[in-house]
Amino acid sequence: MTKILTGGVGKVEVTRTVNALGLDGVEAVESSDMDAAMKLRAGQADYYLGTCHTGAGASLGVLVGLMGNAACHTFGRSVPTEDDVNSLLAEGKKVFGFAMDQIDTVAPMLARAIAARA
């Protein structure tokens, strides 16, 4: 089972959006950023999707500090392409930040790409 932790101001919406896709082997669970960092580092979770109003700093601040830039990527207010997402996953990114108003587009795209890699 691939576990995706969600955090930030839109964590409830991201969790609902990902779980509503019904992807085999993928589960989204609400988390705090600190708890998510600890679970990711301990191998108790696989990915983190964080949201804030701008999709920049607050969506990933704690995780960048504890996981390092190499594991993290923020889309900010932009909407990535499927190729962008697949490239980032291939690079080993596990932590993603995006803006709340992009949840309906970015969360499903990320979840489907993660499911395809599982």
Side-chain angles (χ1 to χ4, degrees):
M1 175 69 68
T2 300
K3 185 180 250 183
I4 300 172
L5 300 177
T6 66
V9 292
K11 68 183 173 186
V12 172
E13 293 88 351
V14 174
T15 301
R16 269 194 230 129
T17 299
V18 171
N19 288 335
L21 296 171
L23 300 169
D24 285 339
V26 174
E27 173 190 30
V29 178
E30 294 170 36
S31 180
S32 69
D33 50 4
M34 184 63 83
D35 190 48
M38 295 302 121
K39 286 183 177 176
L40 287 164
R41 290 175 71 174
Q44 297 171 346
D46 303 290
Y47 295 93
Y48 176 83
L49 307 182
T51 54
C52 68
H53 293 285
T54 64
S59 64
L60 298 182
V62 169
L63 283 111
V64 169
L66 295 174
M67 302 284 298
N69 279 329
C72 303
H73 180 80
T74 182
F75 296 110
R77 296 198 39 76
S78 68
V79 175
T81 65
E82 287 182 32
D83 287 341
D84 294 335
V85 169
N86 287 323
S87 292
L88 291 165
L89 290 169
E91 290 172 20
K93 303 289 186 189
K94 302 234 177 242
V95 175
F96 297 93
F98 49 96
M100 283 186 54
D101 62 353
Q102 306 297 338
I103 290 172
D104 290 341
T105 305
V106 177
M109 187 182 305
L110 281 165
R112 287 185 181 110
I114 289 167
R117 299 178 68 79

